Amino acid sequence: ALGPGRRGGGRLPPEVNRILYVRNLPFNISAPELYNIFGKYGAVRQIRLGDKKDTKGTAFVVYEDIFDAKNAVEHLSGFNVANRYLIVLYYNPARAAAKGKGAARG
């Protein structure tokens, strides 16, 4: 079931990921509101909203399909929600791990 816009298995850049990391969200945004925004670009499997002091205003959005995730990043970076401009990035497990553990690599 190949949707539109998939030209012969176009190669994706290595950083493209089905998991998006969203920053600069309004603190009072709800998961249903996020589903509305991100669901316009494809089927969303999961949304995890940051609810701690240091994760407020961030969310992880997981798409079923990597092409939908790529589409969302291209369209929603800089998207205005309640006068805040969204920062939409691909989740980078390597970078996230490096930040959490310093240089402790076995």
Side-chain angles (χ1 to χ4, degrees):
L2 285 179
R6 301 199 192 169
R7 290 167 294 284
R11 309 256 317 159
L12 288 171
E15 73 274 9
V16 175
N17 196 315
R18 288 187 311 122
I19 306 173
L20 306 184
Y21 177 55
V22 186
R23 296 193 352 230
N24 209 34
L25 288 163
F27 284 176
N28 60 351
I29 197 161
S30 67
E33 288 174 284
L34 279 178
Y35 274 103
N36 271 344
I37 295 167
F38 285 86
K40 289 186 171 69
Y41 298 97
V44 172
R45 175 179 295 185
Q46 187 187 14
I47 288 181
R48 285 226 322 267
L49 264 171
D51 53 3
K52 307 209 174 37
K53 207 170 71 194
D54 58 342
T55 58
K56 262 204 174 322
T58 69
F60 288 104
V61 178
V62 184
Y63 277 92
E64 297 283 352
D65 186 290
I66 197 164
F67 285 90
D68 295 339
K70 182 173 183 282
N71 207 6
V73 168
E74 286 165 3
H75 287 89
L76 290 174
S77 293
F79 186 75
N80 186 334
V81 179
N83 294 319
R84 299 176 76 94
Y85 294 96
L86 298 190
I87 300 166
V88 185
L89 308 162
Y90 295 110
Y91 171 63
N92 182 327
R95 205 181 308 148
K99 201 171 69 181
K101 292 202 232 339
R105 271 197 210 89

